[in-house]
Amino acid sequence: MSNAEISVADSEDEALHDPERLQEIARLDLFSDDVQRILDKQAEKASDVLDLPIGLVSLVLDEAQYLAGQHGTLPEWVEEAGGSPVEWSYCQYAVKDEEDVIIEDSTVDERTKESPFTKEEGLRCYAGIPLETSRGHVIGSFCAAGDEERSFDEEELEAMRELADETMEIIERHAETS
């Protein structure tokens, strides 16, 4: 690995381990059943707008991805754990890069082709929008995924961005009242 590649990898790891970002996640208090029911509905909207079987509202922690909201059938082990190791997740890239993550075919995308979600669980496409707080911290991803490769048009992505903004408003409003 060259020095430039190491530098990029270090800055990406810093994004995941940023203490202020992790404190922001804790401040938002997103681990209650009430919030999960609301975020499950938002995840269903993600699934519907892209006509994909899975919709998620993920929180990307330093070592794990927690599913604060979900819709669709997930692998049993993900359901039981409530998430996955962060290094397996596609959502980590929304936090690291602070931009939309569009994966049309995970088997050829350099970021995901070796992920167990690709190789073992058959995930093929993914569209994730960063969930950014009003304080400027990207805490996770508002996303949808499926088991067939596909592309996403700008109209679909704009609808996802609007739903991601709506989801952040719900999350922050909840944090203010709890």
Side-chain angles (χ1 to χ4, degrees), residues 90-103:
Y90 297 4
C91 298
Q92 67 175 307
Y93 301 107
V95 173
K96 290 177 177 180
D97 300 334
E98 297 184 352
E99 61 186 27
D100 298 352
V101 177
I102 308 305
I103 299 169

Side-chain angles (χ1 to χ4, degrees), residues 70-156:
Q70 63 187 55
H71 173 77
T73 303
L74 300 173
E76 186 176 333
W77 67 269
V78 174
E79 294 248 3
E80 287 177 10
S84 70
V86 73
E87 64 270 16
W88 295 4
S89 79
Y90 297 4
C91 298
Q92 67 175 307
Y93 301 107
V95 173
K96 290 177 177 180
D97 300 334
E98 297 184 352
E99 61 186 27
D100 298 352
V101 177
I102 308 305
I103 299 169
E104 296 180 353
D105 181 356
S106 64
T107 64
V108 297
D109 190 292
E110 288 299 318
R111 300 168 292 185
T112 58
K113 68 182 184 182
E114 296 300 322
S115 169
F117 285 121
T118 301
K119 294 177 93 170
E120 296 171 25
E121 303 299 341
L123 200 61
R124 288 293 173 266
C125 67
Y126 170 93
I129 310 300
L131 288 171
E132 185 173 350
T133 68
S134 59
R135 297 179 183 186
H137 297 286
V138 177
I139 60 169
S141 178
F142 181 79
C143 59
D147 56 4
E148 295 179 14
E149 65 180 85
R150 71 161 279 203
S151 59
F152 304 94
D153 64 37
E154 188 54 37
E155 186 176 302
E156 291 173 315

Side-chain angles (χ1 to χ4, degrees), residues 23-39:
Q23 287 173 352
E24 182 82 343
I25 293 170
R27 179 189 73 79
L28 293 170
D29 186 30
L30 296 172
F31 301 96
S32 74
D33 289 341
D34 291 341
V35 174
Q36 183 162 12
R37 278 190 289 279
I38 294 166
L39 296 180

